[in-house]
Coordinates of all heavy atoms in Angstrom, one line a residue:
Chain B
S49 N -86.8 -10.9 12.3 CA -88.1 -10.7 12.9 C -88.7 -12.1 13.1 O -88.3 -13.1 12.7 CB -89.0 -9.9 12.0 OG -89.1 -10.5 10.7
I50 N -89.9 -12.0 13.9 CA -90.6 -13.3 14.1 C -92.1 -12.9 14.3 O -92.4 -11.9 15.0 CB -90.0 -14.1 15.3 CG1 -90.7 -15.4 15.4 CG2 -90.2 -13.3 16.6 CD1 -90.0 -16.4 16.4
S51 N -92.9 -13.7 13.7 CA -94.4 -13.6 13.9 C -94.8 -14.4 15.1 O -94.2 -15.4 15.4 CB -95.1 -14.1 12.6 OG -96.4 -14.4 12.9
S52 N -95.9 -14.0 15.7 CA -96.4 -14.7 16.9 C -96.8 -16.1 16.6 O -97.1 -16.9 17.5 CB -97.5 -13.9 17.5 OG -98.6 -13.8 16.7
I53 N -97.0 -16.5 15.3 CA -97.4 -17.9 15.0 C -96.2 -18.8 15.0 O -96.3 -20.0 14.9 CB -98.1 -18.0 13.7 CG1 -97.2 -17.6 12.5 CG2 -99.4 -17.1 13.7 CD1 -97.8 -17.8 11.1
K54 N -95.0 -18.3 15.2 CA -93.8 -19.1 15.2 C -93.2 -19.0 16.6 O -93.4 -18.1 17.4 CB -92.8 -18.6 14.2 CG -93.2 -18.8 12.8 CD -92.1 -18.5 11.8 CE -92.4 -18.8 10.4 NZ -91.2 -18.5 9.5
D55 N -92.3 -19.9 16.9 CA -91.5 -19.8 18.2 C -90.0 -19.6 17.9 O -89.2 -19.4 18.9 CB -91.8 -20.9 19.1 CG -91.6 -22.3 18.5 OD1 -90.9 -22.3 17.5 OD2 -92.1 -23.3 19.0
K56 N -89.6 -19.7 16.6 CA -88.2 -19.6 16.3 C -88.0 -19.2 14.9 O -88.8 -19.6 14.0 CB -87.5 -21.0 16.5 CG -86.1 -21.1 16.2 CD -85.6 -22.5 16.4 CE -84.1 -22.7 15.9 NZ -83.7 -24.1 16.1
N57 N -87.0 -18.3 14.7 CA -86.7 -17.9 13.3 C -85.2 -17.7 13.3 O -84.6 -17.1 14.2 CB -87.4 -16.6 12.9 CG -87.2 -16.3 11.5 OD1 -87.0 -17.2 10.6 ND2 -87.3 -15.0 11.1
E58 N -84.6 -18.3 12.2 CA -83.1 -18.3 12.1 C -82.7 -17.5 10.8 O -83.3 -17.6 9.8 CB -82.5 -19.7 12.0 CG -82.4 -20.5 13.2 CD -81.8 -21.8 13.0 OE1 -80.5 -21.9 13.0 OE2 -82.5 -22.8 12.8
T63 N -80.6 -16.0 15.7 CA -81.8 -16.8 15.9 C -82.6 -16.0 16.9 O -82.1 -15.6 17.9 CB -81.5 -18.2 16.4 OG1 -80.6 -18.9 15.5 CG2 -82.8 -19.0 16.6
V64 N -83.9 -15.9 16.6 CA -84.8 -15.3 17.6 C -85.8 -16.3 18.1 O -86.3 -17.1 17.3 CB -85.5 -14.0 17.0 CG1 -86.3 -14.4 15.7 CG2 -86.5 -13.4 18.0
F65 N -86.0 -16.4 19.4 CA -86.9 -17.3 20.0 C -88.0 -16.5 20.7 O -87.8 -15.4 21.3 CB -86.2 -18.1 21.1 CG -85.1 -19.0 20.6 CD1 -83.8 -18.6 20.5 CD2 -85.4 -20.3 20.2 CE1 -82.8 -19.4 20.0 CE2 -84.4 -21.2 19.7 CZ -83.1 -20.7 19.7
L66 N -89.2 -17.0 20.5 CA -90.4 -16.3 21.1 C -91.1 -17.3 22.0 O -91.5 -18.4 21.6 CB -91.3 -15.8 20.0 CG -92.7 -15.2 20.5 CD1 -92.4 -14.0 21.3 CD2 -93.5 -14.9 19.2
N67 N -91.3 -16.9 23.2 CA -92.1 -17.6 24.2 C -93.3 -16.8 24.6 O -93.3 -15.9 25.4 CB -91.3 -17.9 25.5 CG -92.0 -18.7 26.5 OD1 -93.2 -18.7 26.6 ND2 -91.3 -19.5 27.3
K68 N -94.5 -17.1 23.9 CA -95.6 -16.3 24.0 C -96.2 -16.4 25.4 O -96.7 -15.4 26.0 CB -96.7 -16.7 23.0 CG -96.3 -16.2 21.6 CD -97.4 -16.5 20.6 CE -97.8 -17.9 20.4 NZ -96.7 -18.6 19.7
S69 N -96.2 -17.5 26.0 CA -96.8 -17.7 27.4 C -96.1 -16.9 28.4 O -96.6 -16.3 29.3 CB -96.8 -19.2 27.8 OG -95.5 -19.7 27.8
H72 N -91.9 -13.3 26.3 CA -90.5 -13.1 26.3 C -89.9 -13.5 24.9 O -90.3 -14.5 24.3 CB -89.9 -14.0 27.4 CG -88.4 -14.0 27.4 ND1 -87.7 -13.0 28.1 CD2 -87.4 -14.8 26.9 CE1 -86.4 -13.2 28.0 NE2 -86.2 -14.3 27.2
L73 N -89.0 -12.7 24.5 CA -88.2 -13.1 23.3 C -86.7 -12.9 23.5 O -86.3 -12.1 24.4 CB -88.7 -12.4 22.0 CG -88.5 -10.9 21.8 CD1 -88.5 -10.6 20.4 CD2 -89.7 -10.2 22.4
S74 N -85.9 -13.7 22.8 CA -84.5 -13.6 22.9 C -83.8 -13.6 21.6 O -84.4 -14.3 20.6 CB -83.9 -14.6 23.9 OG -84.2 -15.9 23.4

Side-chain angles (χ1 to χ4, degrees):
Chain B
S49 60
I50 187 166
S51 161
S52 61
I53 62 173
K54 293 186 173 183
D55 54 19
K56 178 182 173 181
N57 189 26
E58 279 182 89
T63 303
V64 56
F65 295 91
L66 176 62
N67 181 333
K68 289 188 292 292
S69 60
H72 176 84
L73 64 154
S74 60

